[in-house]
Amino acid sequence: MKKKLMPIGLVLAGALAGCATPHNPAPVTLKVAFKNDFLIGAALNPSQFCELNHAEAALVKQQFNSISPENILKWEKIHPAPGRYDFTLADRYVNFGVENKMFIVGHNLVWHEQTPKWVFQDETGNPVSREVLLARMREHIFAVVGRYRGKIGGWDVVNEALNEDGTLRTSPWRKMIGDDYLLQAYQFAHEADPAAELYYNDYSLENPAKRAGALALIRKLQAQGVKISGVGLQGHYNLDFPTLEQFDATITAFARLGVKVMITELDVDVLPRATRDVAADVSKNVQRSENLNPYSSGLPDALQRQLAERYADLFAVLVRHRNDIGRVTFWGVTDGDSWLNNWPVNGRTSYPLLFDRAGRPKPAFDSVITTAGR
Ligand code: GLA
């Protein structure tokens, strides 16, 4: 039997009305509410894990039991030049997770974005051979995964290998190594830390064509004997994508492969769509205009309610699948941190998360809490 949980809004309302007694339950937090369901994570920026922003660091400790690094483990940050690694921030990130007994995620090892050009070129700027690129990939994976062996519990080994139609993306990795670059990456990561969980992570896997491609990819890797522990649905959603049916069917389909399903970068965008497609391709860049940024002075109540309902609907599906879901990670802590303030349009005011710009729980927070353990 699950304990009945009281949303933080009600607890606060009770306290303000002067009816708080020592018997009132402590405000419910996300990690406590979902402790029998799945881990609850957030992607952090340096001001949070270095505790420069005290309030947000405290909020992270209070609410989350897993962390992901927003940027600091990406190749361009941690390995900016040949033979030069900068582990300063990554060490701080990992220490924050260890000190607070959190499940620490590594994001990511092999991606076509935020990877410096030199990785793919020789000294004269020409493409390197398959052998050279494989050797660079191996060195990078061994250096980074090896350093945090036993501390980082799971790695997004390959990020975004697929096109929207489910075919393999012709990234520099694929072009220069061949289709087996994925196999190689997972094998290197497994050798570097045999105990770490290894994930495949991508966006819009709820679209049937892309989902079919990802299912085929994971089946192939499994048939090749690769350790693949989970699939990350990035979860860059909006009010109508994905449909709840698509969401449900996607979780079911991946779970059938025997891999854990994780939502790794959850946010729900309420701003007008700047492009017709829903793909969370980080290279998109659309010119800002008034009508694309309608809520710069606050989110209307009706939309706030819609966001809360949308989150409750999504979490109801997740909780129903709690045996298949390992973790749900939000891409940011407060609305002010979100990449959606600058993507795909720079300088908008976005409201995609559960905490407002002051770190206060939004109605969406309460609606999510009420779905726990149902
Ligand atoms: C993708 C990547 C993340 C991050 C987000 C946007 O989903 O996987 O690392 O860059 O885009 O911030």
Side-chain angles (χ1 to χ4, degrees):
M1 259 284 280
K2 296 213 109 199
K3 269 209 320 259
K4 185 97 185 80
L5 299 168
M6 187 179 291
I8 197 167
L10 293 183
V11 174
L12 290 175
L16 288 174
C19 58
T21 72
H23 304 295
N24 270 359
V28 171
T29 62
L30 293 169
K31 67 178 178 188
V32 171
F34 292 97
K35 72 177 191 309
N36 296 322
D37 300 320
F38 31 71
L39 293 172
I40 292 277
L44 305 189
N45 61 42
S47 74
Q48 294 158 339
F49 61 75
C50 295
E51 306 200 46
L52 301 173
N53 185 332
H54 295 289
E56 288 192 10
L59 188 60
V60 171
K61 293 183 206 177
Q62 180 193 55
Q63 297 289 334
F64 301 98
N65 48 22
S66 174
I67 52 173
S68 297
E70 195 175 354
N71 284 303
I72 51 96
L73 280 180
K74 291 176 181 169
W75 195 310
E76 66 180 11
K77 299 281 182 201
I78 203 164
H79 190 181
R84 185 158 72 79
Y85 288 87
D86 182 353
F87 293 114
T88 321
L89 286 174
D91 286 355
R92 300 286 300 267
Y93 162 75
V94 171
N95 286 344
F96 180 85
V98 169
E99 274 165 21
N100 293 294
K101 301 188 172 54
M102 293 162 160
F103 182 84
I104 307 171
V105 178
H107 172 82
N108 57 52
L109 296 170
V110 175
W111 192 23
H112 59 282
E113 297 281 353
Q114 296 186 260
T115 304
K117 281 205 178 61
W118 66 260
V119 175
F120 306 107
Q121 296 174 346
D122 64 17
E123 316 73 58
T124 53
N126 289 316
V128 291
S129 64
R130 166 181 160 92
E131 287 64 38
V132 169
L133 189 53
L134 272 177
R136 286 182 182 172
M137 182 202 264
R138 182 178 190 282
E139 188 224 88
H140 177 85
I141 291 178
F142 271 72
V144 180
V145 175
R147 185 176 181 91
Y148 302 115
R149 187 173 164 141
K151 291 184 176 166
I152 288 191
W155 281 95
D156 291 335
V157 178
V158 178
N159 199 34
E160 304 178 355
L162 295 165
N163 294 312
E164 294 312 283
D165 66 1
T167 58
L168 268 190
R169 183 194 289 277
T170 311
S171 67
W173 295 108
R174 179 177 180 221
K175 248 192 279 183
M176 299 170 70
I177 294 176
D179 289 2
D180 69 329
Y181 85 88
L182 290 114
L183 169 67
Q184 304 276 354
Y186 285 91
Q187 282 176 341
F188 294 150
H190 184 50
E191 276 176 60
D193 185 354
E197 296 189 344
L198 305 181
Y199 315 129
Y200 176 70
N201 193 53
D202 211 332
Y203 56 79
S204 47
L205 295 179
E206 299 77 8
N207 279 339
K210 193 165 184 182
R211 184 197 315 160
L215 290 165
L217 176 66
I218 291 171
R219 266 193 226 104
K220 185 170 166 194
L221 289 167
Q222 288 175 325
Q224 288 168 323
V226 163
K227 168 171 174 175
I228 177 145
S229 339
V231 63
L233 312 180
Q234 288 187 359
H236 295 300
Y237 297 150
N238 54 40
L239 292 174
D240 46 31
F241 172 80
T243 66
L244 297 178
E245 292 70 30
Q246 283 173 326
F247 192 41
D248 189 90
T250 305
I251 296 169
T252 303
F254 285 108
R256 277 204 195 113
L257 298 185
V259 296
K260 264 194 216 166
V261 183
M262 280 149 311
I263 314 300
T264 54
E265 306 185 12
L266 183 59
D267 44 32
V268 176
D269 197 359
V270 297
L271 296 184
R273 261 196 218 168
T275 59
R276 280 173 55 200
D277 66 300
V278 291
D281 178 347
V282 290
S283 65
K284 274 189 205 169
N285 187 356
V286 178
Q287 182 73 31
R288 185 164 41 144
S289 62
E290 284 285 301
N291 57 343
L292 287 177
N293 189 27
Y295 314 122
S296 54
S297 51
L299 192 64
D301 285 350
L303 216 50
Q304 192 76 265
R305 275 197 303 277
Q306 250 183 293
L307 178 68
E309 280 164 24
R310 175 67 168 153
Y311 260 116
D313 289 346
L314 291 168
F315 267 79
V317 174
L318 291 169
V319 169
R320 205 164 59 237
H321 283 281
R322 69 165 81 78
N323 294 332
D324 304 323
I325 302 285
R327 168 170 55 90
V328 177
T329 291
F330 292 85
W331 203 247
V333 178
T334 72
D335 284 342
D337 308 324
S338 172
W339 72 303
L340 293 172
N341 294 299
N342 293 305
W343 180 93
V345 182
N346 203 24
R348 294 201 292 180
T349 308
S350 191
Y351 302 86
L353 296 169
L354 301 188
F355 298 95
D356 70 13
R357 285 172 164 71
R360 289 176 304 230
K362 294 160 59 178
F365 174 94
D366 286 350
S367 74
V368 159
I369 292 280
T370 60
T371 66
R374 289 263 172 101

